[in-house]
Amino acid sequence: MAAEGRYSRNELLFGAVGQKLIGEANVGVVGLGGLGSHIGQQLAYLGVLDYVLVDADEVTESSLNRLIGASVDEVGTKKVAVAARLIQTVQPEARIVPVEALLPAEEAFEALADRSYVFGCLDEDPPRQQLTDFTTQRGITYIDTASDVFPEGEYGGRIVTAKGHGCLFCLGEIDQEELRRAGMSPDQRRADDEIYGVSRDALAEAGPSVVSLNGVVASLAVDEFMVDVTGMGEPVRFINYRADQRTVGRRAAEPEPRCPYCSRWPTSESA
C-alpha cells in the first residue's frame, strides 16, 4: 500500500489544485479567544501558511475552559503568542505576524491590509463594524463568527460571510445602540445610565462560552473559507447554528441594495 502524503485526504475532497490554493492563501484572525483559537488550529491543519493574528488580551484562568492550545502554565501569556505556538506546532514553516493590539489600533489595520480573508472572532459590535468598514474598502472577504447564549434558552451561533453581497451592517447584525454607546465619553455614558436607570456596561458583562459551541461555529466558518478558496462553491451569506434545536441552517437574509458598505466593494455587482 502506497504511503499517503500529508494532504492526501484533503485532496480527495478538493484536489491538488485546491490544496495549493489553500497553501497560497493569506488570512487574518482578529480575536484569539474561544472562537479564534479553534479557527487558527483548523486553518493550520487545512494547510494555511500565512497569518496575521490580532489580539491584545492575555490568557486568564477563566479562559482555560475554551482556549484551544493554552495550558495552565500560560495564564498571563498573550493569546496571540499561544495561537502562534499552536499554529507552528502544526505548521512549522508558517509565516505569522502577531499583533498585540485592539481595534481600531493602526498597527492592526496595517498588518491586515494585504490579507485576502479576515476572520472576526469578537465579542462586541464596535470592532465588528470597524472590520466591516475596513474589509469592504479593500475588497477583503470578511468571515464574522459569533457564539450566543440567550436567557430564553436558545444557544448556538452564526457565521456571516461578507464579500460585497451582504454584510453585518445591511443584514442587521450590528447593534446600533452598542455603537452609540461606544462613541460616548465617560461623562456621557454616566448620564445615559442615569436615564436608563442601570449601568448598561453591567448588562454587557461576559456571558456563557462553551468550547463545544465555539468549535461548531469555528468549523462552519473554516468550511466556508475552504469552499471559497478551492472553488468548490460560493460561501453561504448567513449560517445559523441552533445548538438548542440541534440544527444548522441558512437564514434567508437579503442584503440592502443601497448598503453604504457593500456598494463600495471593489468588484461588487450589488451597487
Side-chain angles (χ1 to χ4, degrees):
M1 182 177 179
E4 294 182 327
R6 173 164 185 166
Y7 299 114
S8 58
R9 298 298 183 96
N10 284 6
E11 292 170 2
L12 290 174
L13 178 62
F14 45 70
V17 172
Q19 187 63 55
K20 181 174 183 293
L21 292 170
I22 286 173
E24 294 171 347
N26 55 68
V27 304
V29 183
V30 182
L32 277 303
L35 285 166
S37 59
H38 268 289
I39 286 173
Q41 181 192 49
Q42 292 190 34
L43 290 173
Y45 277 115
L46 196 59
V48 174
L49 296 171
D50 192 338
Y51 300 81
V52 169
L53 306 177
V54 179
D55 199 317
D57 291 343
E58 297 178 349
V59 178
T60 63
E61 185 175 359
S62 67
S63 61
L64 292 176
N65 78 314
R66 62 192 182 280
L67 195 64
I68 303 304
S71 70
V72 293
D73 296 329
E74 290 176 305
V75 171
T77 302
K78 292 292 186 180
K79 290 180 179 178
V80 290
V82 173
R85 175 184 55 75
L86 176 62
I87 289 168
Q88 289 190 312
T89 298
V90 179
Q91 294 286 1
E93 297 180 2
R95 301 175 296 279
I96 302 173
V97 176
V99 181
E100 297 177 7
L102 293 174
L103 297 183
E106 184 176 345
E107 61 264 39
F109 287 129
E110 287 178 353
L112 293 168
D114 69 343
R115 301 293 89 184
S116 298
Y117 292 85
V118 169
F119 289 84
C121 312
L122 301 158
D123 295 327
E124 299 176 348
D125 281 355
R128 284 191 173 102
Q129 179 66 24
Q130 291 156 8
L131 276 180
T132 296
D133 183 27
F134 175 79
T135 56
T136 52
Q137 286 189 64
R138 289 160 178 79
I140 300 170
T141 299
Y142 176 38
I143 304 175
D144 188 82
T145 62
S147 58
D148 297 305
V149 178
F150 300 102
E152 298 80 6
E154 299 177 5
Y155 58 97
R158 61 111 182 98
I159 302 93
V160 172
T161 300
K163 50 184 304 183
H165 302 280
C167 68
L168 293 172
F169 180 83
C170 68
L171 296 177
E173 289 298 303
I174 296 291
D175 186 334
Q176 298 302 312
E177 177 61 20
E178 191 175 341
L179 294 188
R180 185 182 73 86
R181 289 273 300 177
M184 290 180 177
S185 68
D187 287 342
Q188 289 171 326
R189 290 188 186 186
R190 283 191 289 271
D192 194 51
D193 291 340
E194 290 179 6
I195 295 171
Y196 192 65
V198 65
S199 171
R200 299 195 190 187
D201 291 332
L203 298 178
E205 291 177 355
S209 185
V210 180
V211 66
S212 55
L213 301 185
N214 291 338
V216 173
V217 173
S219 293
L220 290 168
V222 172
D223 270 349
E224 295 307 291
F225 165 82
M226 177 188 73
V227 164
D228 197 40
V229 171
T230 62
M232 293 174 66
E234 281 294 313
V236 176
R237 182 179 295 128
F238 196 121
I239 295 176
N240 194 38
Y241 168 48
R242 286 291 303 273
D244 56 301
Q245 296 182 357
R246 317 302 192 272
T247 61
V248 176
R250 303 183 183 197
R251 196 182 93 177
E254 290 301 318
E256 168 57 49
R258 292 173 295 279
C259 174
Y261 299 101
C262 294
S263 61
R264 69 187 181 186
W265 182 270
T267 59
S268 176
E269 297 174 2
S270 61

